[in-house]
Amino acid sequence: MMEEKTKIERKNNKSVKTAVLLFGAVLITMSLLGGTLAKYTSEIGTASDSARVAKWYVSEKVSDFDLFADSYLDEGAGNTKGAWDADNKTNKKNTVQGDTEGTKVIAPGTKGSATIQIDANSVKESEVAFKYVFELEGQDSWYSLPFYRNGSIHIDMNTGVTQNMGWNVLYDGTSKYNGWLPLRFKITKGSSVVYDGLSGGAQQYEDGQKQVVALRNELGKLGTDVIYPKSTSAEIQNIVDDSEITIEWEWPFKQVDDPGLSADDNKLKHDREDGYDTLVGQNAASTDPTKVPNFKIPISVKKVQVD
């Protein structure tokens, strides 16, 4: 019995050993097979990119555009802007003066000028190229006759009006009053004259409508050269200086002679023009603000990106 029991135990031990060996063989085989089927994979690096929006600064300052004044000195001082004087009747400095300080006026014999210029010291560097452009606003950018208004309404040279009002004092002999446009202009960009309709200028013989339309058109063309990123302060200053715009104007006490007329005919012409000036001045005293003649230039300076 004992011997038979020993044989059975030996057989069981042999079976266990055999099972262990077989299990080990299976594990080794699976390991080998797994290594054979796997792909080679290695991380060799990563890639990404990002960017913020380029900086666009709007910090510029533009010079005051004081084209007109509340007072003008006498002819000996050039009919230019004066200083409003509450006691002007005693001091006798201003030959034209608004009824209150700050009320800007124009009249025959007055003239003035103003410069539109960007303060180069206020230009802050942007990360994109840009330039400045000068733009006229509203109807003045396209209307057939800009700047001249009766009250807030642009006057119309094509149809006229049915009554004497504002600038519309030229009676056509039937039923219409057309506009009298006495102002004359000169435009300078940097050191270059781009239009000169003042007395003695290249365009002095152009009539009032051509003058004011030329003023509008020339203003619409003007702008600066491109300012690129990393431009130096000296470069910016030069660009700004070259782009400054000076507008000069005058309402002549006596309009220019017409070279095609005789002396006698020119005298008659000036007499008629004096009459037109007088009528406009009378209309300025109207108690109806819609009939009061005025002149307004709504101009803006814009900073635009250059592609």
Side-chain angles (χ1 to χ4, degrees):
M1 281 293 290
M2 193 69 171
E3 183 176 346
E4 185 177 347
K5 184 179 180 181
T6 302
K7 286 181 180 180
I8 292 171
E9 289 178 350
R10 286 178 180 173
K11 186 182 292 187
N12 289 339
N13 289 339
K14 189 178 294 186
S15 298
V16 171
K17 289 179 180 179
T18 300
V20 170
L21 289 173
L22 288 172
F23 182 69
V26 170
L27 290 177
I28 293 171
T29 301
M30 290 177 65
S31 175
L32 291 173
L33 287 173
T36 302
L37 296 175
K39 295 179 179 179
Y40 292 129
T41 60
S42 297
E43 185 175 297
I44 60 173
T46 60
S48 65
D49 197 9
S50 65
R52 62 169 172 76
V53 174
K55 296 176 182 176
W56 178 256
Y57 291 109
V58 182
S59 58
E60 293 79 1
K61 298 177 182 178
V62 180
S63 60
D64 292 334
F65 186 52
D66 290 328
L67 191 60
F68 306 111
D70 59 8
S71 56
Y72 299 86
L73 301 172
D74 62 26
E75 185 177 2
N79 300 108
T80 54
K81 300 174 186 176
W84 194 88
D85 187 354
D87 196 22
N88 189 62
K89 66 180 180 180
T90 301
N91 296 325
K92 300 178 181 178
K93 291 182 179 180
N94 301 320
T95 55
V96 175
Q97 179 170 288
D99 56 4
T100 57
E101 186 174 7
T103 299
K104 294 185 177 182
V105 294
I106 54 177
T110 59
K111 60 184 177 181
S113 65
T115 298
I116 306 172
Q117 183 178 28
I118 297 159
D119 180 0
N121 294 324
S122 69
V123 177
K124 192 171 183 179
E125 181 185 345
S126 291
E127 294 178 323
V128 295
F130 64 91
K131 65 180 180 179
Y132 299 102
V133 296
F134 300 87
E135 293 186 355
L136 293 163
E137 300 174 348
Q139 280 184 293
D140 292 292
S141 65
W142 58 265
Y143 198 68
S144 60
L145 186 66
F147 313 142
Y148 283 94
R149 291 171 168 80
N150 294 336
S152 61
I153 306 300
H154 290 77
I155 71 171
D156 193 333
M157 289 296 289
N158 298 321
T159 59
V161 295
T162 57
Q163 60 179 312
N164 172 0
M165 60 182 291
W167 298 103
N168 292 87
V169 297
L170 302 181
Y171 186 57
D172 68 358
T174 59
S175 60
K176 299 291 186 181
Y177 290 83
N178 295 315
W180 166 235
L181 314 177
L183 273 64
R184 314 186 75 81
F185 304 95
K186 178 180 179 180
I187 307 173
T188 305
K189 180 182 178 184
S191 58
S192 300
V193 175
V194 296
Y195 182 86
D196 189 358
L198 300 184
S199 300
Q203 288 82 27
Q204 65 172 329
Y205 297 120
E206 292 192 351
D207 64 27
Q209 183 171 8
K210 288 182 179 178
Q211 292 243 347
V212 75
V213 170
L215 173 64
R216 186 264 307 284
N217 293 344
E218 291 299 332
L219 287 174
K221 297 176 186 176
L222 298 176
T224 69
D225 291 333
V226 177
I227 298 176
Y228 291 93
K230 294 301 181 183
S231 294
T232 66
S233 57
E235 290 168 338
I236 293 174
Q237 184 69 61
N238 288 337
I239 289 173
V240 168
D241 288 346
D242 289 343
S243 65
E244 71 176 22
I245 299 172
T246 298
I247 300 174
E248 299 174 60
W249 65 272
E250 65 176 354
W251 185 341
F253 204 78
K254 176 183 177 183
Q255 298 285 339
V256 296
D257 286 342
D258 185 334
L261 298 178
S262 66
D264 287 341
D265 287 340
N266 266 307
K267 183 179 184 307
L268 292 174
K269 167 182 172 294
H270 295 315
D271 288 343
R272 288 194 301 270
E273 291 165 347
D274 288 346
Y276 304 149
D277 285 346
T278 301
L279 290 172
V280 169
Q282 290 173 343
N283 290 341
S286 173
T287 57
D288 183 348
T290 66
K291 297 180 179 180
V292 173
N294 63 87
F295 190 92
K296 180 180 181 181
I297 301 180
I299 190 169
S300 63
V301 182
K302 292 187 177 180
K303 179 180 180 179
V304 296
Q305 181 183 354
V306 175
D307 192 3

